[in-house]
Structures are given as structure tokens and as C-alpha cells.
Amino acid sequence: MFMRIDHVGIACHDLEEKIAFFEQTFELTVVAREVNIEQGVKEAMLRIADGEGGGSYIQLLEPLGPDTPVGKFLAKRGEGVHHVAFGVPDVVQAMDKIGGRGVRLLDERPRHGSMDSSIAFLHPKDVGGMLTELVQASERHAKPTPNARNADT
Ligand code: MC0
């Protein structure tokens, strides 16, 4: 069912500061940036590798406010790994299968994710304490344009 680790989402207080750290320390490149109102985040994707059907990334997440999933996470736990996202070929099919196996779905239907992907979350309490995201990549997600440092998408 899982094709790859699509991304690791990291919650931070200051997106620009964290981008600079990841670029300078690990020589990663930002390939997309987005403000996702529905999810309450400002985020950046830094490419690790390309792959068939989708790449893999570090996703840096700054909350748009305290009363958002990432805002609440930061208040409770501080900065750190917020979720792990797995690439799937068909997110609706994966939701049906996983939901049918007793794991709580946090989304009734797929939502808009980074780089036009379709995403859905699974309850962390049902996945060993790990907030888990399913990602069906778009073509753009699989082959992002490099150097989107200042391009909000
Ligand atoms: C909460 N919990 C977590 C967690 N967040 N455990 C592991 N990782 C996390 N990130 C734990 C809490 O400690 C608590 O455990 C229990 O789950 C319930 O949490 P809560 O604090 O009572 O509830 P809420 O209101 O904070 O909700 C948590 C929940 C929520 C995961 C349901 O954040 C959610 O629906 N998240 C999915 C959407 C999301 O995270 N969006 C932002 C990323 P105890 O033991 O204390 O009961 S958007 C994104 O990433 C997009 C842009 C993309 O990838 O493209």
C-alpha cells in the first residue's frame, strides 16, 4: 500500500529561520511553498529525492495561529516531528482499506495538500502515537520545479 515516505512534517515557530537552517546545514532546496488556510499552516517543502510516482521531502510547518493543529502541537510539545506522510497510489482506496481495519480517519474525504496532492490523516492514537498522513501525489508533486524559494503556490 505504501510506496515511499513522502515527507516528514516538522513543526516550527519560525519558518524562515528553519528553512535557512535546513538549507545551510543539510544543503536541501526548497521546491514549493504554500499557505494552506484549511490546515492552518504556512509550509515549505525541501526535496530529498525524486521517485516514481512522487518524491520525498522534509516539510517545515509554521502555524497560522494558536488554535490550529500545529499551533496546539507546538504549545503542548514544542518544535519537532509533527507527522509522517506515506505515498499511496490511490488515497481514497487507502482510506477505505485502513478505515475498514479499525484505524480512525481524521478526514472523511481527501483534502488539498502540498503541491496539489490529495491527503488524508489517520489518528495518532491508532498508529502507535504517530500522526500519519496518506499522500496521493500529483504530477507536479512528483517533479517539482527547483528553487521555488520565494514562490508561494
Ligand atoms: C496530537 N497528538 C499527537 C499529535 N497531535 N500525537 C502525535 N503526533 C501529533 N502530531 C495526540 C495528543 O498528544 C493527544 O494525546 C491526542 O493525540 C489527541 O490530541 P488533542 O491535543 O486532544 O487533540 P487536538 O485537538 O490537538 O487534535 C489532534 C489531531 C489534530 C491529531 C486529531 O491535530 C488533527 O486532526 N490533525 C490532522 C490535520 C493536521 O495536523 N494538519 C496540519 C498539517 P493524549 O495522550 O494527550 O490524549 S497540514 C499538512 O501537513 C499539509 C499542508 C500537507 O502535508 O500537505
Side-chain angles (χ1 to χ4, degrees):
M1 187 188 306
F2 291 167
M3 301 188 296
R4 65 185 186 285
I5 292 178
D6 183 281
H7 64 265
V8 175
I10 298 174
C12 63
H13 292 290
D14 185 332
L15 186 64
E16 300 310 321
E17 184 189 287
K18 212 55 83 185
I19 287 173
F21 172 80
F22 273 79
E23 284 183 334
Q24 287 159 21
T25 310
F26 302 125
E27 300 174 3
L28 296 176
T29 303
V30 173
V31 291
R33 297 163 72 101
E34 190 166 343
V35 174
N36 188 324
I37 304 283
E38 187 182 36
Q39 296 289 347
V41 292
K42 187 160 82 163
E43 53 102 344
M45 297 290 266
L46 294 89
R47 175 168 44 201
I48 303 285
D50 294 332
E52 273 302 305
S56 57
Y57 306 88
I58 291 289
Q59 181 184 57
L60 301 176
L61 299 157
E62 181 188 311
L64 293 178
D67 197 21
T68 59
V70 175
K72 288 197 230 167
F73 178 91
L74 280 172
K76 208 166 171 181
R77 300 184 180 209
E79 292 190 321
V81 174
H82 177 260
H83 66 267
V84 177
F86 296 96
V88 294
D90 183 321
V91 69
V92 173
Q93 205 176 77
M95 289 168 78
D96 285 348
K97 277 191 191 169
I98 295 166
R101 292 168 187 162
V103 173
R104 277 170 289 170
L105 305 172
L106 294 171
D107 301 291
E108 282 177 22
R109 59 184 192 292
R111 296 184 190 277
H112 168 86
S114 185
M115 293 186 279
D116 298 328
S117 57
S118 293
I119 62 170
F121 284 92
L122 311 177
H123 201 292
K125 287 289 170 191
D126 295 345
V127 193
M130 176 177 76
L131 177 59
T132 303
E133 182 183 333
L134 308 174
V135 179
Q136 182 182 332
S138 67
E139 202 169 311
R140 175 173 164 238
H141 183 282
K143 291 194 179 108
T145 314
N147 295 321
R149 191 156 186 359
N150 301 309
D152 276 338
T153 55

